[in-house]
Amino acid sequence: MSRTEHFLRQLNLLFQAHAQADLARQMARYMKDQFPFFGIQGPERKALVHQCWREQGPLPVEDLPAFFRLCFDQDQREWQYVVNDLGQKVWRHMDLSFLPLFDELIARKSWWDTVDFLSPKLSGRLLLRYPEVLPQTARRWIAHPNFWYQRAAILLQLDYKAQTDAPLLFELIRRRADSPEFFVQKAAGWALRQYSKVDAQAVSSFLEQAAVAPLTRREGLKWLKSQGRV
């Protein structure tokens, strides 16, 4: 048995011991019954992952891609969240070799809950250290026929604040301004709302000029309206 398989087996024992059937049904309903759950909420799940990490010893960084793929092979949705739990723990040790992995995982068991950490929390955090790779990654994803990649492209810089490449963000939103997909429209509004906290005038000007979906405009203006800026 490999190190990754052993770690997964030990963590699975912890998850099974803490599973809650009633909560699992509630969590599955919240996710439109697309995925089964153990019924373990975020704080407890993270504590169990930390416990296994402490008791079994950290997985070497070179083992993480194989382990992350194993997590996406499992049925219960908590396993996919483990990728983010561990990714946040070891992100300083990741380099660009992890980007193709995150790219691959976006297309697996896709829904907003995984895309929204695979893009800004993992890929975005990684690309903040490799800014020269950001534009090509974002443009490749925005051109992808799978709308989850389009969402991922728009959300890549969600946590960048003043380090946001605003012209790139506006370009990406314009390129998918006619998308009928709720999750793309919502992502564009979310990204604009976050950036409006950094540069209110830039977002106001963009929304005055760009032909975006009503949902995008409404979401993008939320913070500005709350501050009386529009």
Side-chain angles (χ1 to χ4, degrees):
M1 182 183 296
S2 68
R3 288 179 297 195
T4 55
E5 291 170 331
H6 175 75
F7 191 91
L8 185 136
R9 182 175 181 178
Q10 297 305 308
L11 185 54
N12 187 51
L13 291 174
L14 289 173
F15 281 171
Q16 289 179 345
H18 290 80
Q20 300 182 58
D22 289 344
L23 185 56
R25 285 190 288 271
Q26 294 175 32
M27 295 169 78
R29 281 198 300 272
Y30 180 72
M31 296 301 293
K32 309 297 185 184
D33 290 310
Q34 295 190 89
F35 315 102
F37 283 80
F38 283 110
I40 303 172
Q41 293 184 322
E44 184 178 13
R45 184 195 70 245
K46 293 175 183 177
L48 293 173
V49 171
H50 180 72
Q51 177 183 338
C52 192
W53 190 259
R54 185 182 66 250
E55 292 176 351
Q56 303 301 320
L59 284 172
V61 68
E62 62 268 22
D63 286 353
L64 289 177
F67 182 71
F68 288 172
R69 289 187 175 98
L70 273 178
C71 287
F72 267 75
D73 288 340
Q74 309 309 305
D75 292 331
Q76 292 86 356
R77 196 59 165 171
E78 285 92 344
W79 283 113
Q80 282 86 72
Y81 301 157
V82 169
V83 172
N84 189 43
D85 296 338
L86 289 184
Q88 297 303 318
K89 186 184 289 289
V90 302
W91 69 272
R92 289 181 179 82
H93 303 290
M94 294 180 182
D95 58 23
L96 273 179
S97 66
F98 278 80
L99 187 61
L101 170 66
F102 300 147
D103 189 314
E104 169 195 328
L105 295 180
I106 287 172
R108 296 188 59 189
K109 301 183 177 180
S110 306
W111 198 245
W112 62 264
D113 56 335
T114 52
V115 172
D116 290 3
F117 69 74
L118 288 168
S119 175
K121 301 301 181 185
L122 295 179
S123 302
R125 197 170 192 178
L126 177 65
L127 290 173
L128 195 55
R129 291 169 27 219
Y130 300 94
E132 70 280 3
V133 184
L134 172 66
Q136 66 190 60
T137 301
R139 290 179 177 126
R140 177 164 51 83
W141 286 358
I142 204 69
H144 202 288
N146 183 330
F147 72 84
W148 290 116
Y149 282 97
Q150 298 166 23
R151 180 179 173 93
I154 292 168
L155 294 182
L156 257 176
Q157 301 184 80
L158 189 68
D159 299 327
Y160 280 21
K161 298 181 180 179
Q163 293 176 280
T164 300
D165 181 339
L168 176 62
L169 174 62
F170 296 154
E171 172 196 329
L172 299 171
I173 293 172
R174 281 196 180 95
R175 287 181 63 176
R176 290 298 173 180
D178 61 350
S179 173
E181 293 292 345
F182 168 86
F183 289 108
V184 175
Q185 296 177 12
K186 186 84 168 181
W190 185 13
L192 289 169
R193 184 170 71 250
Q194 287 296 95
Y195 189 59
S196 72
K197 300 171 186 178
V198 175
D199 192 337
Q201 183 57 51
V203 172
S204 295
S205 297
F206 173 77
L207 287 172
E208 286 174 4
Q209 301 168 18
V212 299
L215 174 60
T216 296
R217 185 176 304 279
R218 186 164 62 251
E219 291 293 322
L221 288 172
K222 272 186 177 178
W223 187 82
L224 293 173
K225 286 185 173 181
S226 74
Q227 301 298 305
R229 305 291 291 269
V230 292

